[in-house]
Amino acid sequence: MAQVLTSQSSRPVFLDTARPIFWFFLAGCLTGGLSLSILFSFSPMIPLLLAATFLAISLLARSPLLVLGTLIVVRMSLDYTAQFYTFSIGDITLSLSQIFGIGVALLGALLVMRHYAVLTRFPLLFPFALLLTWGTLTLSYSISPATSLQELIRIFDLFSIGFLAFLAVKDTQDIKKLFGFFLLSSLLPILFGIGQFIFHIGLIDPNVDTPRIFGTFSHPNVFSLYLFTIAVFAFSFFFFLAISPKEKRLSLFLFTVVGITLLLTFSRVAWIALFLFFLALGVFRYRLALIPLIFVPMLLFSVSDTFQSRVLSSFASDPDSSLVWRKNLWKDVTTQAFADQRQFVGTGLDTFPLVSESLRGIKLGSNEAHNDFVKFFIDGGFVGLVILLIFLASITFILARHARLTPDPILKNLFWFLLLLFALLEISALTDNVFKNTPVQWLFFALLGAVLGREFSLLKKIS
C-alpha cells in the first residue's frame, strides 16, 4: 500500500508530476471545481486558481526554474485584464494580478519554510526583512490597514521571486534560460503596444498629439520602464551570454524592437534612462555606444513633431505641464504631513494616494506620488524615508561587493550591469513610481536573485 501512495522520494504519487496519476488527479479536481462553480454560481476563477497553485507547488521541487519563468511570463500580461475582470470577496475587489500576487506569496511562504537553512545565506534577506518589518509596524497606525497589507504582500512577492531565482539557478545555462523567459515575457506586451499604435487606441494624453501605447500594463510609464529594463537585459545578453550568431542576431533584433516600442510610449522618464544607459556605456566601456546616443535623438527631433514637443515641454514652465503638476503635488502632501504632525511616522505603507486624494480630489489627475522618496516620506515620515535609503544602500552594496569579488567574469559583468540598471531606476524614481512598478521590480529581483544563486553555487563547488 505504501508503494502505491508514495514514490521513491517519499512524496505522494499524486504530487509527482512525472507520473500520469498526477495529471489525472489535477484534471479531475479542476473538472469537479468548475462543475461546482456552475452548480453553485461562484466564480470559476476559484478552482482555476487552486489548480494553478497546486501545479506550481508540485513543480517547485522538480522544475523551480520553469515555475519561475512561467510566473514571470504570466505576470507581465495580467494588468490589462483588470478592466475586464475582477473578483469580489465581500467588500474586497481583486484583479487577476492581485489574486496572482496572493498565490505567489503562498509559494514564497512555502519556499521560506522548506529552505530555511539556505535563507540565511540569501544576501537579499536583510534589506527585505527590514522593509517588511517596518511595513508591518505601520499597520498599527495606517489610515488604511487593508491597503498597507496589500502592499506588504506585493513586497513579499518581490522577495519570493528573488529567493526562488536564488534557489533555481545553478549554472550559466540556467541564467540563459531565465533570460529566455524575460525576453518571452515581452512578446505579448509589445504586440499589444504595436497594435495600440497602429489602431490609435492608446492612452489619450493632452500633452501628446499621438495616443501613448501601454501594452498589457496600466499606464505608458509602467510599460516604458519595463521596456527599458528588457532593453538592458537584451543588451547584456548580447554581450555576455549569447554565443552563437543566431543568439546574437535574436537579442539584437529584440533590442531594436524594444527600443522602437519604447519610443512610442512617449515617456520621457524612460527616454532619459535609455540615454543615460548609453552614455554610461560610452564613457566607461563601449565607445561605439556614443554613436546612437548622438545621432538617434537628433534624427527623431528633426523628423517627429511629437518627439520634438515632448522634449521641449520638459524645459517649459507651463502650469499645465506634468512636471509642474508633480511639484505642486509633492508640495501639497508634504505640507499636509507637517500640519498633521505625521512627519515622523507617516500615514502607513502605500497610503500616499489616499492622502493625495483627500487633499486634491480626482479632478487633477493621478494621485500616485511619481517620486519614491516623497512617497516613503508620506507613508512613513522621516522613519520611512530612512528605511528606504537603507534598503537602496543595501542593494547597492550587495551589487558592488559581488561585482568586485566574484571569480566568474560573466557574473562580474552582470553584476555591474545590474548596478547600472539599479542606479538608473533610482534616478527615474525622482519623477516616477518605480518602486510601485511591479513588472520592473520582478525583472530586476529575479535576475539579481539568479546571479546571486549562480555565484552561491559556484563558491560551494570551489570550497
Side-chain angles (χ1 to χ4, degrees):
M1 185 68 173
Q3 291 179 348
V4 174
L5 295 177
T6 60
S7 65
Q8 292 180 353
S9 60
S10 299
R11 296 181 66 208
V13 166
F14 61 84
L15 289 179
D16 189 350
T17 56
R19 293 173 177 264
I21 192 174
F22 168 84
W23 301 103
F24 284 114
F25 179 79
L26 181 64
C29 290
L30 182 58
T31 302
L34 292 174
S35 300
L36 289 175
S37 72
I38 297 173
L39 183 62
F40 294 101
S41 300
F42 62 84
S43 173
M45 285 305 303
I46 295 179
L48 287 171
L49 176 63
L50 291 175
T53 303
F54 176 76
L55 178 60
I57 291 173
S58 301
L59 285 171
L60 268 180
R62 182 179 294 273
S63 306
L65 187 59
L66 176 61
V67 173
L68 174 63
T70 303
L71 291 176
I72 291 171
V73 172
V74 172
R75 176 61 185 84
M76 302 310 157
S77 303
L78 287 182
D79 287 349
Y80 190 79
T81 63
Q83 58 186 310
F84 304 112
Y85 187 88
T86 56
F87 178 68
S88 298
I89 305 177
D91 296 331
I92 302 175
T93 301
L94 300 173
S95 65
L96 284 181
S97 59
Q98 291 170 327
I99 296 173
F100 188 79
I102 294 173
V104 172
L106 294 175
L107 289 178
L110 179 63
L111 285 175
V112 169
M113 290 186 290
R114 291 185 60 181
H115 302 279
Y116 183 78
V118 181
L119 180 66
T120 59
R121 306 290 301 275
F122 184 41
L124 297 180
L125 176 60
F126 167 74
F128 272 102
L130 176 67
L131 195 58
L132 289 167
T133 300
W134 165 74
T136 302
L137 291 176
T138 69
L139 290 175
S140 62
Y141 61 84
S142 173
I143 61 174
S144 178
T147 301
S148 299
L149 179 60
Q150 183 176 317
E151 178 66 0
L152 274 173
I153 294 174
R154 191 186 72 89
I155 295 172
F156 183 69
D157 282 352
L158 301 181
F159 171 80
S160 301
I161 289 297
F163 189 45
L164 176 55
F166 182 76
L167 296 170
V169 172
K170 303 300 181 184
D171 53 39
T172 304
Q173 282 302 116
D174 287 341
I175 294 181
K176 290 185 67 172
K177 292 176 184 177
L178 185 59
F179 267 92
F181 284 116
F182 290 150
L183 304 183
L184 181 63
S185 78
S186 69
L187 295 184
L188 190 60
I190 289 174
L191 288 175
F192 266 65
I194 293 174
Q196 290 159 2
F197 176 75
I198 293 174
F199 296 106
H200 299 279
I201 55 175
L203 177 72
I204 303 300
D205 190 325
N207 298 311
V208 184
D209 296 334
T210 304
R212 300 174 60 192
I213 65 175
F214 52 88
T216 56
F217 300 111
S218 58
H219 193 275
N221 286 3
V222 177
F223 188 35
S224 68
L225 286 177
Y226 165 79
L227 290 172
F228 164 67
T229 306
I230 290 292
V232 174
F233 284 6
F235 197 89
S236 58
F237 183 88
F238 176 85
F239 279 100
F240 309 133
L241 293 170
I243 299 175
S244 68
K246 181 180 179 180
E247 290 177 334
K248 288 187 176 293
R249 287 195 301 268
L250 181 62
S251 56
L252 187 60
F253 172 76
L254 181 63
F255 179 84
T256 304
V257 172
V258 169
I260 294 173
T261 310
L262 190 155
L263 290 174
L264 298 178
T265 64
F266 293 100
S267 176
R268 289 169 297 192
V269 64
W271 289 355
I272 294 172
L274 191 62
F275 177 87
L276 293 176
F277 174 71
F278 277 108
L279 179 62
L281 290 181
V283 171
F284 296 107
R285 192 150 191 174
Y286 303 108
R287 295 292 185 267
L288 289 177
L290 294 174
I291 297 177
L293 183 70
I294 296 173
F295 289 105
V296 172
M298 291 176 59
L299 177 64
L300 291 171
F301 191 83
S302 62
V303 302
S304 172
D305 293 337
T306 305
F307 184 85
Q308 186 179 118
S309 63
R310 194 68 171 149
V311 173
L312 293 177
S313 65
S314 302
F315 304 98
S317 57
D318 185 347
D320 293 330
S321 74
S322 59
L323 295 179
V324 173
W325 169 82
R326 282 171 168 82
K327 292 178 182 178
N328 291 334
L329 172 65
W330 302 335
K331 180 180 178 181
D332 289 346
V333 293
T334 52
T335 301
Q336 188 64 37
F338 281 96
D340 294 340
Q341 297 184 342
R342 293 271 193 171
Q343 69 269 29
F344 294 107
V345 295
T347 54
L349 186 62
D350 201 35
T351 54
F352 182 101
L354 301 177
V355 174
S356 175
E357 184 176 339
S358 68
L359 290 175
R360 299 158 59 92
I362 59 175
K363 295 182 179 180
L364 297 178
S366 171
N367 284 300
E368 293 291 343
H370 291 83
N371 184 307
D372 286 350
F373 304 93
V374 176
K375 166 186 164 55
F376 270 78
F377 174 73
I378 299 303
D379 290 354
F382 289 117
V383 173
L385 184 57
V386 169
I387 293 294
L388 174 64
L389 294 176
I390 295 175
F391 177 82
L392 299 179
S394 299
I395 302 298
T396 303
F397 173 79
I398 290 169
L399 286 167
R401 180 175 182 273
H402 286 269
R404 292 196 314 269
L405 300 180
T406 183
D408 187 294
I410 294 178
L411 292 180
K412 184 179 291 292
N413 286 317
L414 290 176
F415 276 123
W416 283 122
F417 259 63
L418 276 171
L419 182 58
L420 175 59
L421 172 62
F422 186 67
L424 294 175
L425 288 176
E426 293 316 308
I427 291 173
S428 302
L430 294 172
T431 59
D432 213 325
N433 306 304
V434 174
F435 187 77
K436 285 283 291 182
N437 192 324
T438 303
V440 168
Q441 299 293 338
W442 268 51
L443 294 181
F444 175 80
F445 284 109
L447 184 55
L448 178 53
V451 292
L452 289 171
R454 165 57 183 153
E455 185 186 37
F456 178 69
S457 178
L458 181 64
L459 294 177
K460 281 177 60 178
K461 290 180 181 179
I462 295 175
S463 60

